[in-house]
Amino acid sequence: MSKLIILAETGSDIPAETAEKYGIRLVPMHVSFGDETKDDGTFPAEEIYGYYERTGKLPKTSGCVPEDFTNVFGELRDRDPDSHILYLAYSSVTTCSYQSAKIAIDTGHVGGVTCVDTKQVSAGQYAVVVKMAELLQEHPEWTPEEAADKAVRLSERVKMCFLPDTLEFLRAGGRVSNAAALAGSLLKLHPCIEILDGYLQAAKKYRGSMDKIAPRLVKEYIAEQKLSKDEIYLIWAPGLAEETKKAAETAAYEAGVKKITWVRTGGVITCHGGPGAFGIVGFA
């Protein structure tokens, strides 16, 4: 039976050491700082904050282009010619990456690739990809079809939401108006942004400081979404206070969670959530 190799984008925010541990191959998404474009994952997210402070402009994010996939497919085929690639994609309605992979496959006549749209982003995609890597270690006998079916079912169970600490990046990116951002700042309002069928959608609003609302979000989201307590993933963007992280952890353990995995935001999601953002992911 051919070896299965998992492929995902850097927007999944999987650290290099985790990818190496499970043999996960990451394809770069991109962040443009004016005329300079960098591969996501090659720079700390704090550079985004510095650029915005200097210029007043938000860096622009973009998905993988066909050439990114062509290069990776070529490398994987050279190294493991008999392997089968299981591509667990970043939500296809939010980026061109999934379509770019299809173009690379079609134009390069690449065989042995199965594509699954996880309909997740950031830590939501992280949860699917890493869980699938663990399952493939337990079930090396799975065929590509069996693995893809399991990945689809896992993706459907993932629930994810996050809270920006400030609406400034959402305003700069044109996602909220100046008035809404000002009102949010004055009233300490934080929209809860959920991933629903691949789309980022604002749900209810939380009011107060992050150290108070982060633990509240953890307890409410676990209960409302009936998340498995075997493991949850907590998302943090650089700038989130350590006291807030500790309060969120305490709330999770008080809710009965057995294992917490912290996921640091990379360049792509940081451009949307901004500094100090916090979120939670789990399997329903």
Side-chain angles (χ1 to χ4, degrees):
M1 184 173 296
S2 60
K3 175 184 177 183
L4 281 173
I5 298 176
I6 293 180
L7 183 67
E9 297 91 343
T10 54
S12 60
D13 294 335
I14 296 172
E17 58 270 21
T18 302
E20 183 177 356
K21 174 183 176 181
Y22 291 107
I24 298 165
R25 186 65 164 82
L26 298 175
V27 187
M29 297 176 81
H30 309 283
V31 180
S32 296
F33 299 81
D35 294 332
E36 181 183 13
T37 297
K38 298 184 178 183
D39 287 350
D40 179 36
T42 63
F43 62 91
E46 287 88 343
E47 285 191 22
I48 292 169
Y49 307 158
Y51 180 82
Y52 180 71
E53 289 172 3
R54 292 193 308 272
T55 66
K57 298 178 181 179
L58 197 61
K60 298 184 182 297
T61 63
S62 58
C64 313
V65 297
E67 184 180 2
D68 292 323
F69 284 98
T70 298
N71 292 337
V72 172
F73 290 151
E75 291 171 12
L76 293 178
R77 283 288 170 262
D78 289 343
R79 189 171 61 195
D80 294 292
D82 297 324
S83 64
H84 190 98
I85 300 168
L86 178 61
Y87 169 43
L88 303 178
Y90 197 96
S91 171
S92 65
V93 297
T94 65
T95 178
C96 64
S97 294
Y98 187 81
Q99 187 61 31
S100 291
K102 292 285 192 178
I103 292 171
I105 291 168
D106 291 342
T107 58
H109 305 289
V110 180
V113 182
T114 299
C115 303
V116 174
D117 181 359
T118 68
K119 299 185 179 181
Q120 299 294 333
V121 306
S122 184
Q125 186 186 13
Y126 179 119
V128 175
V129 172
V130 173
K131 185 61 68 176
M132 277 303 303
E134 292 173 346
L135 288 171
L136 286 175
Q137 287 184 347
E138 296 172 11
H139 299 279
E141 77 283 359
W142 278 357
T143 65
E145 293 76 19
E146 289 172 323
D149 179 67
K150 182 63 177 179
V152 169
R153 287 186 282 127
L154 273 179
S155 300
E156 291 171 347
R157 290 175 50 211
V158 170
K159 304 296 179 183
M160 171 180 168
C161 71
F162 70 92
L163 296 170
D165 185 34
T166 170
L167 298 183
E168 183 60 22
F169 273 39
L170 292 175
R171 182 204 62 77
R175 293 175 179 83
V176 300
S177 67
N178 289 340
L182 177 61
S185 177
L186 292 173
L187 298 174
K188 293 186 177 180
L189 291 176
H190 308 263
C192 179
I193 299 176
E194 290 190 80
I195 313 304
L196 300 172
D197 200 29
Y199 292 92
L200 281 70
Q201 300 185 26
K204 63 183 179 181
K205 293 183 176 67
Y206 283 79
R207 184 175 181 178
S209 59
M210 287 295 280
D211 63 323
K212 298 294 191 299
I213 62 176
R216 178 185 160 197
L217 172 69
V218 168
K219 288 187 175 180
E220 290 183 356
Y221 203 68
I222 289 172
E224 291 170 2
Q225 301 297 330
K226 298 181 174 59
L227 298 185
S228 167
K229 296 179 181 179
D230 289 339
E231 181 176 14
I232 64 166
Y233 306 79
L234 297 181
I235 314 161
W236 69 285
L240 184 69
E242 283 301 315
E243 311 88 78
T244 302
K245 293 174 71 174
K246 290 177 182 177
E249 273 197 353
T250 298
Y253 287 130
E254 288 177 350
V257 172
K258 299 173 184 175
K259 179 182 178 183
I260 296 171
T261 296
W262 281 97
V263 180
R264 188 183 196 272
T265 62
V268 173
I269 201 69
T270 299
C271 281
H272 302 295
F278 170 80
I280 178 173
V281 173
F283 289 98

